[in-house]
Amino acid sequence: MFDPKGDIGMQERHLILLSLGLMLMVVIPVIALTLFFFWRYRATNTKATYAPTWAHSTPIEIVVWTIPCVIVAFLGVLIWRTTHSLDPYRPLDSHVAPVRVQVVALNWKWLFIYPDYGIAAVNQLVIPTGTPIDFELTADSIMNSFFIPRLGSQVYAMAGMQTQLHLIADVPGVYAGQSSAYSGSGFSDMHFQTKAMSNIEFRQWVQQAKASPLKLSRDGYRALAQPSNGYAPTVYAAVDPSLFQAVLNQYMTMPKAGEFCGSVLPSLRPLPSAPRANLPHL
Ligand SMILES: [Cu+2]
């Protein structure tokens, strides 16, 4: 987090250090003065002022109220502004068209779908540098948190809901990605590598991915979604184009006849042991 490789991460590091510095402006003088007063007013020091009836000092009141008020006001304005400018849902300003990535948090692995390229990958995220990445996230079951510390913010991935995150990598490299919300026994293996590469290399990777012998169908997804630990990075040449929506909608209550609600896509359920296996399908 203190060695960011993308614009959002840089801004967040700046914010953390600035806030830390502002708070240390209070903490350091308080600690220093505490030690100074211990020493200055020690029992053996006969030169220090002795004021047994002392009760009030206007200069001290001004100092101990003004400085915290100024710092709180400054931090308040700073945090108000940055919570809006660094909102994970806010698309990044760029003249480069973003790359969309749909993220599904599985137990315990990450599925990345590239809807514009029709490819998918498990436990490996490949992105072009200098290009905003628009993530749409959901989870198959348990809540997880999607986090690439060197690129910036984390956002939760929750079943039946879609969250968003916008990040950018400015420097090519391999950055660790993880789940930062505990989600059960396989949580500690729930890592992935984020490979940021030039645009040309990214296009080459997409071509390589399209040459993969694997395709991700609905049935393939059901098998993939079974809980497992330490899943090897895998690339799929093709993916069911409605898979992400289907994962998102799998917990929707089916509308009654004549009602329109949620999506009309066929449900991913029933799984063999799914508790909702007797739900009617559209
Ligand atoms: Cu509804």
Side-chain angles (χ1 to χ4, degrees), residues 252-253 261-262:
M252 288 293 280
T253 311
C261 182

Side-chain angles (χ1 to χ4, degrees), residues 249-266:
N249 286 329
Q250 65 182 319
Y251 300 105
M252 288 293 280
T253 311
M254 289 295 163
K256 295 188 188 87
E259 282 182 2
F260 290 92
C261 182
S263 165
V264 292
L265 290 165

Side-chain angles (χ1 to χ4, degrees), residues 29-282:
V30 165
I31 292 172
L33 285 172
T34 306
L35 295 174
F36 173 75
F37 287 137
F38 282 165
W39 173 79
R40 169 85 187 167
Y41 297 102
R42 66 196 185 277
T44 54
N45 184 9
T46 51
K47 289 180 192 162
T49 313
Y50 178 64
T53 57
W54 181 86
H56 181 82
S57 163
T58 306
I60 289 176
E61 292 289 328
I62 291 172
V63 168
V64 301
W65 284 103
T66 311
I67 295 175
C69 286
V70 168
I71 289 174
V72 167
F74 190 90
L75 278 175
V77 171
L78 179 75
I79 287 162
W80 177 268
R81 291 168 61 114
T82 48
T83 43
H84 288 89
S85 68
L86 293 172
D87 179 358
Y89 278 39
R90 191 169 165 271
L92 305 183
D93 299 324
S94 172
H95 59 276
V96 183
V99 166
R100 294 198 300 146
V101 180
Q102 295 169 331
V103 181
V104 183
L106 301 169
N107 301 323
W108 285 270
K109 49 198 168 280
W110 294 96
L111 170 63
F112 302 105
I113 301 168
Y114 295 74
D116 302 327
Y117 303 103
I119 56 173
V122 173
N123 281 351
Q124 183 192 51
L125 175 63
V126 178
I127 55 172
T129 53
T131 307
I133 312 298
D134 292 3
F135 293 103
E136 295 172 343
L137 305 102
T138 193
D140 187 73
S141 62
I142 299 165
M143 183 175 90
N144 279 283
S145 181
F146 178 79
F147 192 24
I148 307 169
R150 294 182 81 179
L151 298 187
S153 320
Q154 60 90 24
V155 152
Y156 291 108
M158 291 168 282
M161 303 176 85
Q162 185 191 308
T163 50
Q164 296 175 44
L165 178 64
H166 296 86
L167 295 176
I168 188 166
D170 293 323
V171 184
V174 178
Y175 311 126
Q178 63 190 77
S179 173
S180 57
Y182 177 70
S183 58
S185 63
F187 162 78
S188 51
D189 285 330
M190 204 170 165
H191 303 304
F192 62 91
Q193 282 193 332
T194 307
K195 292 182 179 166
M197 49 182 69
S198 71
N199 239 306
I200 297 166
E201 288 170 322
F202 177 72
R203 304 279 153 186
Q204 286 169 352
W205 177 78
V206 170
Q207 291 312 313
Q208 279 172 24
K210 283 184 185 292
S212 162
L214 301 171
K215 291 179 175 21
L216 188 60
S217 62
R218 292 286 182 95
D219 289 335
Y221 174 80
R222 280 191 207 105
L224 180 69
Q226 296 300 314
S228 69
N229 293 2
Y231 203 87
T234 310
V235 177
Y236 296 92
V239 58
D240 183 320
S242 59
L243 182 62
F244 185 79
Q245 277 300 316
V247 174
L248 196 54
N249 286 329
Q250 65 182 319
Y251 300 105
M252 288 293 280
T253 311
M254 289 295 163
K256 295 188 188 87
E259 282 182 2
F260 290 92
C261 182
S263 165
V264 292
L265 290 165
S267 171
L268 270 174
R269 309 278 156 171
L271 285 169
S273 58
R276 300 165 66 112
N278 54 359
L279 270 177
H281 281 241
L282 273 185

